[in-house]
Amino acid sequence: MRELARLLLLSAALLAACSWHHARTSSAGVAACDPAAQGAFDAGQLVRARQGFAAGLAAATRAWDRDRQEVCTFYLGLVAQTEARQQTDPRQRRQLLAEAVRWYQTARPKASRAPGRAANLARVYADLGDPARADALFDAALARARGDTRAALARSYARLLEPRNWVRSVELYRQVLARAPTDDDSREALFSLLVGNAPQELPNAVWDAVDSGRVLQAQQAALHGLTRSETSGPARTELLAGLVAALSQQHYDSAGFAASEVGLALRRLETDPQVAAGARQVLLAHSANKPKARDFKWWNTSGTPYRRSPLFAFRSLLRSLALRADQGDPRLAKQYLTAAADLGAETPDTQLWIEVAGNQLATGDFDTFDESVERWDRLLQRSTATIGREDLAVYRQTMGEVRERVETLRAQAASVRRRHGLYLADGGCIYGPGSCSDDVMLRIPVSSLPIPGKRAVSGLSEQTLIEVGCRGRRVEQLLSQWPSVPGSVTVRLVPYAFQISFPRGRRPDPQQPTQQGWQRVALDTQPAWLSSAAWTRGSDLYLADSLRRQLLRIDAQGNLKEAVPALMPDGDDGYLHVQRSPAGEVVAEQASGELELGVGSGSSGTLQLLGRGTAKGEVGSVLQWTPLENRGILAVADLVGKDGIWRNAIIQLDAAGQQVEIVHWIGRHGRDSDLYRVGIPALAAIGAVGYFLALEEDPIGLYELRRGGLPHRLSTLPPIPGGLRDQLHRQMTLDRTADLFRLLAAGSIPAGIFGQGDALFLLDRHAEKTTGRISWNLVRLDPRNCRRFYATSIPTTAPHLTAAPGDRLWAFFEKQVVEGFGRQAVPSMLLVSSELLRATSPGVSAPMAKIGRPFGAERTR
Amino acid sequence: MRGFIAAGATALLVLAEQNTSVPSDPPPTIAVVAHLEGKLFAALGEREHLRLRHDIALRFTYFARQRLPCMTWVEVEPGPRAVTALDAARATLFVYLRQLPEGLSSSFHLSLSATVRAGSPVPQMLGGWADWPVQSYLDYKGHLDRLQRSVDDFMAAHLWTDAFEREINAHFIRQVPIADRIAVDAEHRRLIVPLDAERLRLADGSRILVELTAPFCRGNLERCTLVLVSRGPVYGGTFHDQLQCEVIERRDCCTKETWTADLPDQIARALPGSVHVFLDAAHRHCPYGIAICSGEDGLFRKPSAQ
């Protein structure tokens, strides 16, 4: 009995093993013929493959393995067919095809639903000049097949039919796409057939593609169709509509649209007698500041179905442009939505109306909302167009909700007296009744900024226009030789009467929301020129406004707490830069070149940077500096040699300021020092160890400097794009400041290094070439070898950032486009915990990359 | 009887010997995490908030599995297990749903950003690259289902376009290694990507990039990219069901030759940890199962299932 049990057990094990073996050597339920032959076939070794499959067939026949026999005959047919395709001699080719037929027929194609057997054999028949037989085989196989198998067969058949029966081929491709809308090859083939044979049918296929989300394909096909002279009549209009519908589903930069592939193609169509106006109006929609329905009359053509009409397509485009224009200000979107609603105003579009109503609600345009809803309801009652029941229900529900909101807001508005901000010359803004809103700005000419005490020898004042209003004040225009305005002496005194005072509770809206772990805080102060910022030991920040030469102390909520000095300074007083030392004290640079240590802490000391002698000349000015441990300083300096030539170098000063040592030569004053001058923070410290970016080098090197040692190059950053340095140098004049910073923002140049605690960070700005979209990363580096530990994406697209590292928080000030010297808005700052950036928090969920290799291979000295 | 048992055991060993195929590696796991930002979401209860996040990640994953089958997509449910799931993933894709602006009327914007774990040759963080307007916001508060339906509809109808796929392939899929090793079938001059070809569903001719540091010329270690094209699954043998590829180009290498006799040895001597296999951004998937996918020449290379 026990023996019997063992026997049964063994049998079961053997069966299982055989079954496993079968499964391992077959795929998707198909038995393998001969793995070695298969490998040879895949590698194109057809002779070896033929031998192997023949041996496999013999073995299968001996073993009465019918499945394997069929697979082997299939492969023998495939080998013969492949050989025939490579054969140039017609007679031998025919022989091989005939052999392929024999093998495939042995594989019983008619009894099988497998697409491979039928499709390959049909192709052999076609190659043998017997298309009727190929068709019959395909038709029979299609009739038997279902689902994906049928689609695969239909696809193969459609491809075979392309040259001789495009009508049937198109029909088959349509069937394929109905089953597999993402089969891009089939859609491509369909478009190609329609363009060449039936251009009037192309628009519908383009719309099908749009509806299936293949918008790029639809766009390409529409453009292709429009370039062909065979496409005429209404088909051209419909194709342009399809193209616009495809555009409306895409996300792209409207500002760069005219230069895009589609934009250029539309420009070429501006001479097309049939669609010129339509093409022009699409371009206009992307560039217009105040689009109006009357500008887009060409598109006011509805049709049946409405959802494939030019009107619907263009309205969709305007809706998508509205959403992109909005970016936090619904007034920007209003123009587009109103234009879309007014275009073909009698044609209902409930989804569009919902968006218009939402916009009217957001912009407080309640009276227009009432009128609109009344009109839309009337139109719906008399409209003959079919509107889906569900669409109608959504429309009714939404309008009811909007109406409810409008009524609530009206009631609130009636109970609150409107308040206006009013700027007073003696102390900022107050709120109260009156006709002044907080958008009102006073323009005041101010003499001689940034050095008010200095007068030009010519007798002409160096003057500046300053805008002053409830949102702060900013330098409007710097005019180096502006004739004195009568009474300007009196006016000159005006700034001294201005104590910086900003309204509370009325802040600019942050431009973008922030992601988890990050907090965007609006600033109620607007520094004229934010050069740097540093955290205090508490949770406040000092902002250095190098134009007004004041330090603005703000809290983490963005509220101004004090300005130091309180009044705009005269002469060489005031501050230019501020930094936080490794020990946590705030160090500020005065315009006189003196560093004030321990700002705000009461334990102050000073260290004069200028005038110190080195072996190569006297320190004439300082471009950048960073505090080291024990109050040492690393600085980028202008050195004036005895020969009168200005040179740049990185210098190190000890705490007492007695020893000044040149640690790195930059070169002669000029092109080499440009990147230091534009404010890229090139210096950082971890304790007593300094780090610097050699910005004049190409590619830029990152150096470590230990006390008493020579600088040690740790790594190399990616090279700066060719020619950029020259371009920057050409813009290094005051009147070209805007162009200079535009170049910097677009240049993908390292944006600075920072030390915080024992960690070193590289701030990296990347500008996308095509869209110009800017992204920022803060990369944590291993200070020993500059390997990248972590990279954290900073959720901003601001063109410029000023970073302030802190023990608990980092602040990133989002600086907008520089419109001119002293003209740069800083609407907000981003706050993020230092732990997140150091990736020390285990539950951290912000985007973070762990990157485990150095970014530069070079390691010298 | 003992003899019979011994014979049976021998047969088992023989069968086992014949099937020494190397198991395929699993494709890389991508964790999908949804984040919500905006006052509307902040007003939701914690449970609703978590549910909505989970549903968004789930919905995104559903589409990703269909359209980007070369990765294992898993939605990460917010909570204590999330950290473990994120640690196990090769990369994380963050789906942000933002309410913008936070006013009376606003839109939802969907954007993505991603991180790739160590081993990626991409030195910089992937940023968010797409904002997708969803639908004007009126009042979803207290109507979570409506909000969810709105997001679902958007994803189904507008998000997964070919334009989006092009972006995600170029900016994300291209950056995530699908394997960290490559095998060589020297006899047939093929490189084998050790993944299940059926699962990858790559169309014939799709490009694959192998980045590695190996002694290609004169014994010096050199970082180089081998450009491969996929040639479908291997049937039988050591690499059964894995993806076989042909070398068509050596990029940034000391030699331009495609296949050389010493290539297998050079690959075997590659610097440990330096091998990463990537899908080219322009790769294509077979719209059906690989078994019924015809090759570039229009021929079916497999008889296929009955």
Side-chain angles (χ1 to χ4, degrees):
Chain A
M1 193 63 191
R2 278 176 72 183
E3 287 299 317
L4 184 63
R6 272 190 197 170
L7 187 62
L8 283 172
L9 201 65
L10 181 66
S11 307
L14 273 169
L15 275 173
C18 290
S19 157
W20 178 72
H21 173 245
H22 187 262
R24 292 295 306 163
T25 52
S26 65
S27 188
V30 178
C33 174
D34 182 284
Q38 184 74 56
F41 176 74
D42 288 335
Q45 301 162 355
L46 297 180
V47 176
R48 276 187 63 191
R50 179 190 283 274
Q51 289 167 353
F53 288 133
L57 178 61
T61 309
R62 282 196 300 276
W64 298 337
D65 185 344
R66 201 168 176 77
D67 283 350
R68 192 174 167 201
Q69 270 180 287
E70 283 194 15
V71 173
C72 290
T73 51
F74 170 84
Y75 281 117
L76 283 164
L78 187 58
V79 169
Q81 189 173 14
T82 310
E83 285 176 330
R85 289 186 167 205
Q86 295 171 359
Q87 184 55 255
T88 51
D89 179 58
R91 196 177 58 81
Q92 286 186 17
R93 184 167 176 271
R94 219 173 161 74
Q95 280 177 356
L96 284 165
L97 288 172
E99 183 194 334
V101 170
R102 282 199 300 280
W103 286 123
Y104 281 138
Q105 281 180 333
T106 312
R108 298 186 308 154
K110 282 181 187 168
S112 166
R113 282 191 186 146
R117 290 171 176 152
N120 287 3
L121 179 56
R123 283 182 173 272
V124 180
Y125 287 144
D127 289 345
L128 281 167
D130 192 355
R133 209 165 174 190
D135 290 351
L137 192 58
F138 258 127
D139 285 334
L142 276 174
R144 286 194 301 270
R146 295 283 176 274
D148 279 354
T149 304
R150 189 177 193 285
L153 261 176
R155 186 184 201 240
S156 178
Y157 189 19
R159 189 169 165 183
L160 186 73
L161 285 174
E162 274 179 29
R164 62 185 169 88
N165 187 350
W166 70 266
V167 177
R168 176 85 169 115
S169 182
V170 163
E171 185 195 327
L172 286 165
Y173 276 131
R174 285 195 171 127
Q175 290 175 16
V176 170
L177 291 169
R179 172 81 192 175
T182 56
D183 184 348
D184 292 341
D185 290 342
S186 293
R187 198 179 295 279
E188 204 70 53
L190 173 68
F191 283 145
S192 177
L193 285 172
L194 292 177
V195 166
N197 299 290
Q200 70 285 358
E201 291 182 34
L202 186 60
N204 251 335
V206 167
W207 276 102
D208 286 344
V210 173
D211 291 344
S212 301
R214 312 320 280 177
V215 292
L216 292 179
Q217 277 200 308
Q219 181 177 297
Q220 283 305 320
L223 284 175
H224 189 194
L226 283 165
T227 56
R228 307 262 305 194
S229 55
E230 295 88 340
T231 317
S232 58
R236 291 185 80 73
T237 304
E238 290 167 19
L239 274 182
L240 192 58
L243 172 67
V244 166
L247 282 175
S248 73
Q249 299 278 320
Q250 293 176 52
H251 186 88
Y252 56 90
D253 176 25
S254 347
F257 177 74
S260 69
E261 183 196 352
V262 182
L264 294 173
L266 289 172
R267 195 162 283 174
R268 286 192 290 275
L269 288 173
E270 283 181 321
T271 54
D272 185 299
Q274 196 163 352
V275 296
R280 219 172 5 253
Q281 288 170 17
V282 176
L283 289 165
L284 179 67
H286 286 85
S287 61
N289 289 326
K290 293 181 178 175
K292 300 276 183 216
R294 63 170 180 269
D295 300 330
F296 309 119
K297 281 180 185 166
W298 188 89
W299 288 93
N300 186 8
T301 311
S302 190
T304 309
Y306 165 66
R307 284 179 178 274
R308 289 201 168 185
S309 68
L311 179 60
F312 175 75
F314 201 76
R315 279 174 157 182
S316 301
L317 179 68
L318 290 174
R319 278 168 53 199
S320 74
L321 290 173
L323 275 160
R324 268 176 265 164
D326 188 325
Q327 294 298 311
D329 186 352
R331 285 172 301 185
L332 297 172
K334 191 177 196 72
Q335 306 275 354
Y336 287 101
L337 290 174
T338 307
D342 291 349
L343 187 69
E346 301 295 303
T347 308
D349 187 328
T350 52
Q351 186 56 45
L352 169 64
W353 290 347
I354 286 171
E355 287 175 26
V356 173
N359 185 271
Q360 287 166 346
L361 172 67
T363 51
D365 202 354
F366 302 153
D367 294 341
T368 315
F369 168 75
D370 290 339
E371 290 164 20
S372 302
V373 175
E374 202 176 309
R375 188 159 50 83
W376 295 334
D377 286 347
R378 260 199 326 268
L379 283 171
L380 282 173
Q381 278 170 8
R382 64 167 193 248
S383 169
T384 52
T386 314
I387 297 165
R389 186 180 288 180
E390 200 175 325
D391 288 346
L392 206 57
V394 170
Y395 169 78
R396 300 263 184 240
Q397 183 186 358
T398 310
M399 288 304 157
E401 288 169 348
V402 178
R403 191 183 296 281
E404 210 172 288
R405 285 288 185 95
V406 165
E407 294 310 324
T408 311
L409 289 167
R410 270 186 175 139
Q412 285 174 356
S415 65
V416 177
R417 197 172 63 174
R418 293 195 70 150
R419 296 163 74 88
H420 296 280
L422 177 66
Y423 181 81
L424 297 181
D426 62 355
C429 295
I430 59 164
Y431 287 105
S435 57
C436 170
S437 81
D438 61 354
D439 287 321
V440 170
M441 305 287 278
L442 303 178
R443 285 189 170 182
I444 303 166
V446 181
S447 293
S448 304
L449 278 173
I451 308 171
K454 190 179 164 193
R455 289 270 172 171
V457 181
S458 65
L460 298 175
S461 295
E462 289 180 356
Q463 297 213 346
T464 305
L465 273 181
I466 289 188
E467 280 189 347
V468 186
C470 292
R471 287 186 179 173
R473 50 192 197 173
R474 67 181 68 216
V475 173
E476 168 69 10
Q477 198 175 4
L478 188 74
L479 302 168
S480 58
Q481 290 201 323
W482 200 42
S484 296
V485 176
S488 63
V489 175
T490 314
V491 173
R492 183 180 169 273
L493 298 174
V494 171
Y496 304 98
F498 289 171
Q499 181 150 5
I500 292 180
S501 175
F502 296 92
R504 299 284 183 268
R506 296 292 300 268
R507 298 183 186 174
D509 289 331
Q511 290 180 333
Q512 305 151 12
T514 45
Q515 64 193 36
Q516 199 174 3
W518 294 77
Q519 187 192 356
R520 176 168 280 112
V521 177
L523 299 181
D524 70 357
T525 58
Q526 283 291 287
W529 197 252
L530 175 63
S531 67
S532 45
W535 288 94
T536 63
R537 286 190 200 275
S539 56
D540 290 345
L541 279 152
Y542 275 113
L543 277 57
D545 181 341
S546 62
L547 203 56
R548 294 198 193 106
R549 283 173 291 119
Q550 285 175 307
L551 295 181
L552 310 175
R553 184 172 175 146
I554 63 168
D555 62 20
Q557 286 73 49
N559 300 309
L560 180 72
K561 294 177 83 171
E562 69 169 322
V564 184
L567 301 178
M568 249 166 92
D570 201 355
D572 281 352
D573 294 341
Y575 299 94
L576 298 177
H577 288 96
V578 66
Q579 297 274 326
R580 184 183 155 96
S581 76
E585 67 179 358
V586 176
V587 183
E589 179 194 354
Q590 295 180 357
S592 59
E594 197 168 53
L595 291 187
E596 188 176 319
L597 311 173
V599 173
S601 67
S603 61
S604 62
T606 58
L607 178 65
Q608 179 57 259
L609 296 177
L610 304 190
R612 297 200 165 275
T614 72
K616 300 289 181 181
E618 191 177 283
V619 178
S621 67
V622 171
L623 308 181
Q624 298 188 19
W625 50 271
T626 195
L628 301 168
E629 200 175 66
N630 299 327
R631 295 190 167 184
I633 297 290
L634 194 62
V636 181
D638 276 325
L639 302 178
V640 196
K642 286 180 182 166
D643 52 5
I645 293 174
W646 287 66
R647 296 179 177 87
N648 293 107
I650 296 177
I651 59 172
Q652 188 174 15
L653 291 85
D654 67 0
Q658 298 301 318
Q659 283 188 349
V660 184
E661 190 186 351
I662 295 171
V663 294
H664 178 85
W665 270 107
I666 294 170
R668 273 201 179 194
H669 178 86
R671 184 178 174 276
D672 285 344
S673 61
D674 285 347
L675 290 180
Y676 296 98
R677 285 174 199 283
V678 296
I680 295 172
L683 309 171
I686 297 177
V689 183
Y691 294 87
F692 63 86
L693 293 173
L695 293 173
E696 78 286 0
E697 292 182 358
D698 209 356
I700 292 169
L702 199 161
Y703 288 79
E704 177 196 69
L705 177 66
R706 292 187 176 272
R707 180 176 280 173
L710 287 170
H712 172 92
R713 189 183 222 196
L714 289 179
S715 190
T716 304
L717 274 61
I720 289 180
L724 183 59
R725 285 177 189 274
D726 290 331
Q727 286 182 53
L728 285 170
H729 191 61
R730 284 196 289 274
Q731 312 299 338
M732 291 289 289
T733 58
L734 209 57
D735 57 327
R736 294 181 183 172
T737 306
D739 295 330
L740 172 73
F741 280 86
R742 201 172 302 127
L743 268 177
L744 279 171
S748 295
I749 299 172
I753 52 169
F754 302 89
Q756 190 270 311
D758 59 355
L760 185 65
F761 294 88
L762 173 73
L763 183 62
D764 191 23
R765 169 176 45 201
H766 176 72
E768 219 169 76
K769 272 185 188 165
T770 48
T771 62
R773 187 184 168 89
I774 289 169
S775 56
W776 292 87
N777 297 308
L778 189 73
V779 184
R780 186 182 165 191
L781 305 172
D782 184 337
R784 294 163 302 176
N785 52 24
C786 277
R787 286 176 72 90
R788 295 182 166 214
F789 277 150
Y790 296 98
T792 306
S793 172
I794 303 171
T796 181
T797 53
H800 306 281
L801 286 183
T802 289
D807 295 338
R808 199 172 62 81
L809 292 171
W810 278 59
F812 295 91
F813 292 85
E814 298 181 286
K815 296 156 83 172
Q816 300 304 301
V817 172
V818 174
E819 293 165 11
F821 179 65
R823 296 177 64 194
Q824 184 181 37
V826 192
S828 51
M829 64 176 171
L830 282 167
L831 297 180
V832 62
S833 86
S834 305
E835 274 193 351
L836 190 143
L837 299 180
R838 294 166 63 94
T840 52
S841 171
V844 86
S845 59
M848 187 174 292
K850 298 176 181 176
I851 297 164
R853 74 186 189 91
F855 52 82
E858 196 170 341
R859 188 175 170 136
T860 58
R861 275 200 273 183
Chain B
M1 192 65 202
R2 275 188 188 165
F4 183 76
I5 291 172
T10 310
L12 273 175
L13 282 174
V14 169
L15 282 174
E17 185 64 26
Q18 283 176 348
N19 290 284
T20 51
S21 60
V22 183
S24 302
D25 294 351
T29 299
I30 311 297
V32 178
V33 184
H35 284 289
L36 307 173
E37 289 171 17
K39 274 185 184 163
L40 170 70
F41 304 119
L44 295 175
E46 191 183 347
R47 184 186 287 184
E48 286 81 11
H49 197 269
L50 289 177
R51 197 181 110 201
L52 188 58
R53 281 181 65 185
H54 181 62
D55 286 345
I56 290 170
L58 200 64
R59 189 73 174 154
F60 188 92
T61 308
Y62 167 78
F63 286 110
R65 283 178 187 149
Q66 290 180 345
R67 307 287 174 84
L68 307 166
C70 37
M71 313 273 173
T72 302
W73 297 87
V74 292
E75 70 279 3
V76 175
E77 203 162 339
R81 288 184 200 161
V83 175
T84 318
L86 291 176
D87 279 350
R90 185 65 191 251
T92 306
L93 194 71
F94 298 88
V95 182
Y96 292 95
L97 187 63
R98 295 185 170 105
Q99 182 198 4
L100 180 72
E102 296 182 344
L104 284 169
S105 171
S106 61
S107 314
F108 293 130
H109 289 248
L110 201 77
S111 64
L112 307 175
S113 68
T115 65
V116 182
R117 284 255 310 270
S120 164
V122 183
Q124 64 185 14
M125 171 70 200
L126 294 166
W129 61 77
D131 291 324
W132 307 86
V134 181
Q135 193 174 327
S136 289
Y137 157 66
L138 289 168
D139 183 16
Y140 291 110
K141 197 176 170 183
H143 299 283
L144 190 62
D145 291 345
R146 193 173 160 193
L147 175 57
Q148 207 167 313
R149 197 168 60 241
S150 169
V151 176
D152 277 4
D153 289 348
F154 168 73
M155 282 205 200
H158 303 293
L159 178 64
W160 284 90
T161 63
D162 51 357
F164 174 73
E165 284 169 21
R166 187 174 70 174
E167 290 292 310
I168 200 168
N169 275 326
H171 292 99
F172 181 60
I173 300 294
R174 165 67 184 86
Q175 325 293 353
V176 182
I178 56 170
D180 292 326
R181 65 185 180 93
I182 189 92
V184 183
D185 176 359
E187 187 185 354
H188 301 111
R189 298 184 164 197
R190 289 285 195 260
L191 297 192
I192 309 293
V193 177
L195 297 177
D196 185 348
E198 178 71 33
R199 180 159 183 179
L200 287 178
R201 240 176 56 207
L202 281 176
D204 243 23
S206 280
R207 287 197 174 201
I208 286 164
L209 308 171
V210 182
E211 295 181 358
L212 75 170
T213 303
F216 287 111
C217 292
R218 298 178 297 279
N220 295 327
L221 282 173
E222 181 194 12
R223 186 142 189 90
C224 174
T225 302
L226 306 177
V227 183
L228 318 179
V229 287
S230 73
R231 292 286 178 236
V234 178
Y235 295 121
T238 311
F239 306 112
H240 182 68
D241 271 348
Q242 296 180 10
L243 182 69
Q244 56 179 319
C245 300
E246 183 183 346
V247 185
I248 60 158
E249 186 191 339
R250 289 198 210 188
R251 199 177 285 168
D252 306 322
C253 295
C254 51
T255 172
K256 293 282 179 200
E257 283 182 280
T258 51
W259 178 273
T260 49
D262 51 0
L263 184 63
D265 177 54
Q266 290 163 349
I267 290 176
R269 289 163 57 202
L271 203 63
S274 76
V275 183
H276 300 294
V277 183
F278 298 90
L279 286 173
D280 187 54
H283 71 274
R284 291 172 303 116
H285 292 286
C286 184
Y288 322 101
I290 198 94
I292 52 170
C293 200
S294 53
E296 284 177 306
D297 54 4
L299 294 181
F300 286 80
R301 299 195 172 276
K302 203 170 176 189
S304 305
Q306 303 290 315

